[in-house]
Amino acid sequence: MGSLVQTSNSPLIPRFRTSHRILEEARVQCRSGVRCRLVEPLKFENGKPSTPALPADKDPSFLARPQLGNIVSRKNDTRLRIFSGTANPSLSQEIACYMGLELGKINIKRFADGEIYVQLQESVRGCDVYLVQPTCPPANENLMELLIMIDACRRASAKNITATQGRESIAAKLVANLITEAGANRVLACDLHSGQSMGYFDIPVDHVYGQPVVLDYLASKRVCSDDLVVVSPDVGGVARARAFAKKLSDAPLAIVDKRRHGHNVAEVMNLIGDVKGKVAVMVDDMIDTAGTISKGAALLHQEGAREVYACTTHAVFSPPAIERLSSGLFQEVIITNTIPVLEKNYFPQLTVLSVANLLGETIWRVHDDCSVSNHFATSNNVMIVIRSRFNTLYYLVQD
């Protein structure tokens, strides 16, 4: 599985993957003509996955995006600005690199009493501004920072302000009102915990799913489809797991039935479905304390599963999640980089996939006023295909 790399002067770190082929060195031609040399993962304070690498057998012309009108170059497109909050600067940098842009200059600091100060250090008048600030822990701190960033852009006469969030906050309706009143024109969200949360907003919401990135990675493992079974860790995630199973050669589905006695406390009762001798892939939108998914994995092993994989978009990893996930129950724990993982939380089974190309492509399409429906029909629970600059992205549309 090779999820770790180690050098003589560095501790074990998880291998960050952006596609099923990892190159030690590649050159990527971005839209604006900017080139990013990929030798090793870029390093930031909170850890950073490597920038998407170009397959060795692909010519740079493969990177050309579908022709949209007369748009041929982005180098002089000064109307699009991307600013990063402090929640996940590494993902923001990777998105900007994918798009061939530089991150906007912004000064964010905290006074001695904890008050947040935000100052834009470049003009955004008349620009489409995208703020990358997931509401990951500390959620209240990051949310307030996002609201202040939105207000700063509004007061600087930005034309449109889009807030990019990794996951929804508690009291979703109140948060939706706060973001709207602060001045945001649009929200770009990745794998909301509850899809109904989109209805809380009175502004447009673009909801993308991290499933395509995980599916692409699992496909590279070339596990026989007859050996696969997709497992929902609870009844509430059945629709998500069923959609995931359809993309994995229509793999069979199993469900862990549990009874929750309180917040962050779960008790597994029984298993619906057959996992004996199979490779079980557990799918969820996020892992918090890992109580549900680890107890589910223990049950799968009791029922005869050969291997158990955990797949999730958002790695919250509240204690004691790391102890549970690294206890030997899982062959591999596959997450994305919507939430930065602290180095102290690395463990041998951890694999981190990048969603930068997915979010970057979405930002371009919103900026171009090019909705998904302009290119392919959509309906309930269908798969739509976008030819990305690096690979084919499969978006699950769930109305």
Side-chain angles (χ1 to χ4, degrees):
M1 294 304 169
S3 297
L4 289 175
V5 292
Q6 184 176 26
T7 63
S8 57
N9 298 320
S10 65
L12 290 174
I13 59 174
R15 185 188 302 269
F16 294 104
R17 304 173 184 269
T18 54
S19 66
H20 64 275
R21 303 189 61 178
I22 305 298
L23 304 181
E24 293 185 358
E25 182 171 353
R27 297 181 69 86
V28 177
Q29 179 71 46
C30 296
R31 286 193 176 86
S32 64
V34 177
R35 287 182 178 269
C36 300
R37 187 172 181 80
L38 311 180
V39 179
E40 61 181 8
L42 302 179
K43 299 185 183 300
F44 286 78
E45 291 183 358
N46 61 350
K48 179 184 187 300
S50 59
T51 306
L54 179 66
D57 59 345
K58 297 295 183 181
D59 185 82
S61 61
F62 170 73
L63 297 180
R65 68 193 292 257
Q67 188 71 21
L68 301 175
N70 296 321
I71 300 174
V72 295
S73 175
R74 294 295 179 184
K75 192 169 184 178
N76 297 320
D77 191 345
T78 59
R79 290 182 57 252
L80 178 59
R81 303 292 176 84
I82 300 177
F83 292 92
S84 174
T86 61
N88 199 345
S90 57
L91 176 58
S92 306
Q93 182 64 59
E94 192 174 350
I95 292 172
C97 184
Y98 170 87
M99 300 177 68
L101 301 173
E102 293 184 0
L103 284 177
K105 297 178 181 179
I106 186 171
N107 181 23
I108 303 175
K109 63 181 181 179
R110 283 160 174 78
F111 294 107
D113 62 354
E115 181 183 351
I116 301 173
Y117 172 82
V118 174
Q119 180 186 39
L120 299 177
Q121 297 184 317
E122 60 182 74
S123 174
V124 295
R125 184 179 297 275
C127 295
D128 288 339
V129 176
Y130 289 80
L131 306 177
V132 183
Q133 175 72 352
T135 52
C136 54
N140 293 338
E141 189 85 358
N142 289 330
L143 174 60
M144 181 55 67
E145 183 179 309
L146 173 62
L147 296 176
I148 296 175
M149 291 172 66
I150 293 173
D151 182 68
C153 292
R154 180 178 63 85
R155 294 179 185 278
S157 301
K159 180 181 178 181
N160 293 304
I161 304 171
T162 301
T164 303
Q165 293 181 288
R167 57 186 289 263
E168 70 187 82
S169 301
I170 300 174
K173 174 57 178 174
L174 176 60
V175 172
N177 290 340
L178 289 171
I179 291 174
T180 303
E181 292 301 320
N185 302 101
R186 180 183 293 268
V187 170
L188 171 58
C190 182
D191 268 326
L192 291 172
H193 186 55
S194 174
Q196 293 89 334
S197 298
M198 291 186 291
Y200 295 149
F201 288 89
D202 296 324
I203 56 178
V205 178
D206 295 294
H207 188 196
V208 297
Y209 295 85
Q211 279 191 1
V213 181
V214 179
L215 286 167
D216 182 62
Y217 174 70
L218 289 176
S220 71
K221 292 185 172 296
R222 302 185 182 280
V223 179
C224 178
S225 59
D226 293 336
D227 294 336
L228 279 174
V229 58
V230 175
V231 182
S232 173
D234 53 34
V235 176
V238 171
R240 181 186 304 108
R242 183 187 297 115
F244 196 92
K246 287 182 179 179
K247 307 306 178 293
L248 284 179
S249 303
D250 203 14
L253 181 67
I255 304 169
V256 175
D257 180 33
K258 65 181 177 62
R259 298 291 185 269
R260 187 180 295 275
H261 298 291
H263 292 297
N264 299 329
V265 178
E267 180 182 355
V268 174
M269 300 299 293
N270 55 19
L271 178 69
I272 304 172
D274 180 26
V275 298
K276 188 173 183 179
K278 294 183 178 293
V279 176
V281 180
M282 303 188 74
V283 181
D284 209 347
D285 65 317
M286 71 175 185
I287 295 178
D288 188 1
T289 62
T292 296
I293 203 165
S294 61
K295 288 187 177 181
L299 178 63
L300 294 176
H301 282 294
Q302 293 174 13
E303 296 293 330
R306 190 169 81 237
E307 294 178 348
V308 179
Y309 289 79
C311 302
T312 189
T313 301
H314 308 301
V316 181
F317 287 176
S318 301
I322 303 303
E323 289 78 5
R324 289 169 171 170
L325 295 173
S326 60
S327 63
L329 289 171
F330 299 97
Q331 183 74 18
E332 193 170 0
V333 177
I334 304 167
I335 65 174
T336 74
N337 61 341
T338 58
I339 296 177
V341 179
L342 298 177
E343 187 173 347
K344 66 179 182 180
N345 290 335
Y346 295 162
F347 55 93
Q349 297 86 358
L350 182 66
T351 298
V352 182
L353 309 178
S354 176
V355 295
N357 53 350
L358 188 151
L359 295 177
E361 191 68 28
T362 303
I363 290 174
W364 274 125
R365 289 175 178 273
V366 173
H367 178 65
D368 292 336
D369 293 326
C370 174
S371 67
V372 171
S373 59
N374 288 340
H375 294 271
F376 20 67
T378 62
S379 61
N380 289 344
N381 296 326
V382 300
M383 182 178 67
I384 56 180
V385 182
I386 295 177
R387 174 59 65 178
S388 170
R389 296 167 61 230
F390 297 102
N391 55 5
T392 302
L393 301 180
Y394 300 88
Y395 286 78
L396 178 67
V397 179
Q398 295 178 314
D399 295 335

